[in-house]
């Protein structure tokens, strides 16, 4: 890599590591908890309530100086003439990363100034757009999920019936999840400890995190964050190892080792291919261990996004999501009315799922009545990424999505490098299966 390109890369890395957009636009945990209770209470009384979120982290950030530097660096990158295919890839990813950081500046300014026009513009610059094709795929998926005859094909499974039941009934807390993630990271040689000098992740238990999340960009460095109150079943733990470690973390380190970009501080914030790879491993796990076809990813973010962009309020979206989750839980198509009596467990599941989908799509809003008619569209990445990754795998190029955290605009440049699967610094090992065989399976035998 030329000296000029390497120098600019170091400068951009120093800035982008300061800003994780998810940390910027996710409401304060206390705000989320309090407002969730108010929304649920209003729904229980057949009333409407749109929550009021606060964003303390965003309000502590300063952007003016870094914004000026980023604009200068953007011009410098644009003027560079790559001397090789590798430099062409690095230049492309670096340019997109600078654009990501400039949109982060706009996002921070919008939240601090309570200017939703800026927030909406930042989201539109950073994240996928809702398309007619995504809506079509989502509607088809929803039709299947609400059909009483929606069972997917079952194939021969790796696990016996007793082993499947053991995993589904095994409960693991945050500390045990952390231990499993650290084991899996260590298998790939990317666990951050006193012996590790290269790219690596640490695992932390957090009282403020609301979901298990890989954070390349973070105030505390690259890490996998686990909510302190999180509990998962054994099968979910193995799926998470594939998703968070073999998908996200490994993809990030591959990018750093191959290109010095496409991971860590220099990852691309638009995460469609990032989530597409992780969904590939979700599907592979379910098929191998349980013989279950996964089908299209759940479509709820598409519907919530569509309503938000039509100007519907938080509470209207929440109500719609409740009905959609009830219908999928009870297998009741839209051509039929919901029953007058619904059991408490189904209600509770629907309420929790509806809240999660709605608040995620409405993150970043100052006024959740949504007068500016916008959505936080990052979560469209699950469905869009699944579609994109399927195309790569079908073309025999699935390994390109393991090479770095990119977006589809970077793929043409990446293809020119002539990479093969053997080019990956960290080839796929299926450590989820190793964790089952080495750690959990012996425990299952002890229980039997």
């Amino acid at each position: 890599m030329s000296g000029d390109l390497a120098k600019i890369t170091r400068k951009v890395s120093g800035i982008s590591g300061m800003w994780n957009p998810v940390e910027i636009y996710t409401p304060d945990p206390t705000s989320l908890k309090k407002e969730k209770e108010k929304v649920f209470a209003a729904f229980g009384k057949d009333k409407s309530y749109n929550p009021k979120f606060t964003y303390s982290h965003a309000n502590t950030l300063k952007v003016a100086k870094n914004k000026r530097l980023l604009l200068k660096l953007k011009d410098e990158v644009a003027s560079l003439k790559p001397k090789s295919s590798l430099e062409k890839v690095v230049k492309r990813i670096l340019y997109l990363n600078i654009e990501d950081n400039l949109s982060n500046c706009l996002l921070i300014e919008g939240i601090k100034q309570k200017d939703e026009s800026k927030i909406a513009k930042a989201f539109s610059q950073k994240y996928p757009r809702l398309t007619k094709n995504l809506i079509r795929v989502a509607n088809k998926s929803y039709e299947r999920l609400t059909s009483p005859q929606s069972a997917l094909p079952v194939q021969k499974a790796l696990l016996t019936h007793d082993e499947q039941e053991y995993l589904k009934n095994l409960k693991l807390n945050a500390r045990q999840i952390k231990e499993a993630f650290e084991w899996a990271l260590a298998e790939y040689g990317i666990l951050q400890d006193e012996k590790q000098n290269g790219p690596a992740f640490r695992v932390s238990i957090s009282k403020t995190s609301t979901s298990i999340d890989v954070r390349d960009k973070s105030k505390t460095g690259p890490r996998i964050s686990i909510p302190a109150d999180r509990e998962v079943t054994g099968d979910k733990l193995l799926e998470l190892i594939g998703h968070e470690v073999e998908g996200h973390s490994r993809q990030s380190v591959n990018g750093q080792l191959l290109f010095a970009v496409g991971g860590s501080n220099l990852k691309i914030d638009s995460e469609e291919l990032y989530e597409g790879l992780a969904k590939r491993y979700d599907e592979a796990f379910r098929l191998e261990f349980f013989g279950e076809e996964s089908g299209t990813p759940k479509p709820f973010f598409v519907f919530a996004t569509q309503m938000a962009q039509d100007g519907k309020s938080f509470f209207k979206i929440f109500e719609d999501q409740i009905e959609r989750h009830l219908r999928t839980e009870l297998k009741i198509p839209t051509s039929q009315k919901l029953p007058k009596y619904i059991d408490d467990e189904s209600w509770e599941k629907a309420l929790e799922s509806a809240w999660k989908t709605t608040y995620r799509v409405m993150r970043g809003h100052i006024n959740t009545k949504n007068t500016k008619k916008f959505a936080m569209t990052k979560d469209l990445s699950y469905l869009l990424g699944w579609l994109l990754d399927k195309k790569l795998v079908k073309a025999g190029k699935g390994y390109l999505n393991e090479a770095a955290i990119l977006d589809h605009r970077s793929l043409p440049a990446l293809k020119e490098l002539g990479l093969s699967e053997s080019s990956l610094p960290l080839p796929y090992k299926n450590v989820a299966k190793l964790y089952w065989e080495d750690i959990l399976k012996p425990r299952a035998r002890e229980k039997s």
Side-chain angles (χ1 to χ4, degrees):
M1 191 188 303
S2 70
D4 288 342
L5 188 54
K7 184 178 178 181
I8 296 171
T9 300
R10 288 193 295 272
K11 288 182 179 179
V12 175
S13 177
I15 297 171
S16 54
M18 300 167 62
W19 297 328
N20 182 319
V22 175
E23 293 175 347
I24 292 168
Y25 58 68
T26 297
D28 300 339
T30 51
S31 167
L32 270 176
K33 183 179 179 181
K34 181 178 68 174
E35 295 303 297
K36 178 182 177 182
E37 290 171 355
K38 290 181 179 179
V39 170
F40 278 34
F43 180 80
K45 295 175 182 177
D46 202 23
K47 294 182 178 179
S48 176
Y49 176 76
N50 291 302
K52 300 174 180 64
F53 295 132
T54 58
Y55 303 91
S56 297
H57 175 58
N59 284 298
T60 66
L61 301 175
K62 297 179 181 179
V63 300
K65 182 179 178 181
N66 284 321
K67 184 177 180 180
R68 290 193 296 271
L69 178 56
L70 285 165
L71 288 168
K72 181 175 178 291
L73 291 171
K74 183 179 179 181
D75 289 340
E76 290 180 14
V77 171
S79 67
L80 288 174
K81 301 203 180 305
K83 298 175 182 177
S84 65
S85 295
L86 175 61
E87 287 197 0
K88 186 175 180 180
V89 171
V90 174
K91 174 184 173 177
R92 183 60 177 154
I93 300 172
L94 193 57
Y95 189 86
L96 293 173
N97 185 271
I98 293 172
E99 287 192 327
D100 263 343
N101 280 289
L102 286 169
S103 65
N104 285 337
C105 292
L106 186 64
L107 176 63
I108 294 165
E109 289 171 353
I111 292 175
K112 293 177 77 169
Q113 296 165 11
K114 294 183 169 51
D115 185 338
E116 290 197 316
S117 296
K118 288 186 175 182
I119 297 168
K121 185 177 180 181
F123 285 157
S124 70
Q125 291 173 350
K126 293 182 71 64
Y127 294 129
R129 297 191 178 186
L130 185 62
T131 64
K132 289 181 180 179
N133 185 53
L134 277 181
I135 294 170
R136 181 187 62 79
V137 173
N139 281 325
K140 189 174 180 180
S141 173
Y142 184 60
E143 183 180 343
R144 180 186 65 79
L145 288 170
T146 55
S147 170
Q149 290 82 39
S150 64
L152 289 163
V154 176
Q155 302 182 26
K156 182 175 176 57
L158 173 70
L159 302 183
T160 65
H161 173 76
D162 287 346
E163 289 171 338
Q164 291 182 30
E165 289 302 302
Y166 169 77
L167 281 179
K168 289 178 180 178
N169 290 306
L170 179 65
K171 297 290 190 298
L172 300 134
N173 60 27
R175 178 185 57 78
Q176 292 167 310
I177 299 169
K178 180 176 183 288
E179 290 173 355
F181 284 177
E182 289 177 337
W183 187 95
L185 288 167
E187 283 293 307
Y188 274 112
I190 55 173
L191 174 64
Q192 189 178 92
D193 57 25
E194 64 276 3
K195 300 176 184 177
Q196 176 57 265
N197 295 319
F201 285 79
R202 70 184 182 90
V203 187
S204 62
I205 296 174
S206 169
K207 293 181 180 179
T208 59
S209 293
T210 57
S211 60
I212 293 176
D213 186 18
V214 174
R215 298 188 178 184
D216 286 79
K217 302 177 183 181
S218 172
K219 294 174 289 185
T220 55
R223 65 187 173 107
I224 305 177
S225 181
I226 303 167
D229 60 353
R230 186 67 187 270
E231 183 179 84
V232 299
T233 56
D235 60 318
K236 185 63 179 177
L237 174 68
L238 293 176
E239 185 177 302
L240 284 167
I241 288 173
H243 190 109
E244 311 293 355
V245 175
E246 304 200 86
H248 295 338
S249 304
R250 170 175 153 263
Q251 188 183 28
S252 172
V253 174
N254 271 338
Q256 294 172 71
L257 294 175
L258 280 171
F259 313 118
V261 293
S264 190
N265 295 349
L266 294 165
K267 73 183 282 284
I268 301 298
D269 287 341
S270 180
E271 295 179 348
E272 56 262 43
L273 283 169
Y274 178 74
E275 294 297 353
L277 177 62
K279 295 302 285 184
R280 185 203 301 178
Y281 294 144
D282 291 349
E283 287 187 323
F285 165 73
R286 286 289 158 188
L287 188 62
E288 180 180 18
F289 278 67
F290 294 88
E292 299 172 352
E293 293 279 359
S294 300
T296 309
K298 291 181 179 178
F300 302 108
F301 288 122
V302 172
F303 301 129
T305 297
Q306 189 176 22
M307 288 187 72
Q309 292 183 345
D310 285 341
K312 298 297 189 293
S313 70
F314 185 106
F315 199 78
K316 286 291 185 184
I317 299 169
F318 178 65
E319 287 182 313
D320 180 74
Q321 286 288 317
I322 290 171
E323 179 173 342
R324 289 185 182 278
H325 282 280
L326 282 173
R327 287 187 178 279
T328 56
E329 176 71 19
L330 301 173
K331 302 297 181 187
I332 299 175
T334 53
S335 59
Q336 300 175 18
K337 290 184 177 180
L338 286 171
K340 291 183 179 179
Y341 172 76
I342 297 173
D343 65 278
D344 290 345
E345 184 178 355
S346 295
W347 266 116
E348 186 176 336
K349 282 184 180 179
L351 284 167
E352 290 294 333
S353 297
W355 165 262
K356 183 177 180 180
T357 304
T358 306
Y359 105 75
R360 286 178 70 94
V361 167
M362 295 294 283
R363 286 180 290 181
H365 283 71
I366 306 300
N367 177 3
T368 60
K369 290 181 181 178
N370 196 25
T371 55
K372 293 296 182 181
K373 300 184 180 181
F374 73 100
M376 196 291 292
T377 60
K378 175 179 175 289
D379 290 322
L380 294 179
S381 298
Y382 295 102
L383 181 54
L384 178 58
W386 179 79
L387 293 168
L388 291 171
D389 188 71
K390 287 281 185 189
K391 287 183 179 180
L392 283 174
V393 171
K394 187 176 181 180
K397 300 289 185 181
Y399 58 87
L400 291 179
N401 197 19
E402 301 171 49
I405 303 171
L406 307 169
D407 75 354
H408 65 279
R409 295 170 294 176
S410 305
L411 286 175
L414 195 62
K415 288 177 182 177
E416 291 181 19
L417 281 176
L419 291 177
S420 65
E421 196 158 1
S422 62
S423 305
L424 299 177
L426 300 177
Y428 179 68
K429 289 185 175 183
N430 198 354
V431 295
K433 184 176 181 180
L434 292 176
Y435 193 77
W436 158 249
E437 292 176 341
D438 292 358
I439 306 299
L440 294 184
K441 189 174 182 178
R443 294 179 190 174
R445 287 174 175 165
E446 290 174 5
K447 290 282 185 180
S448 60

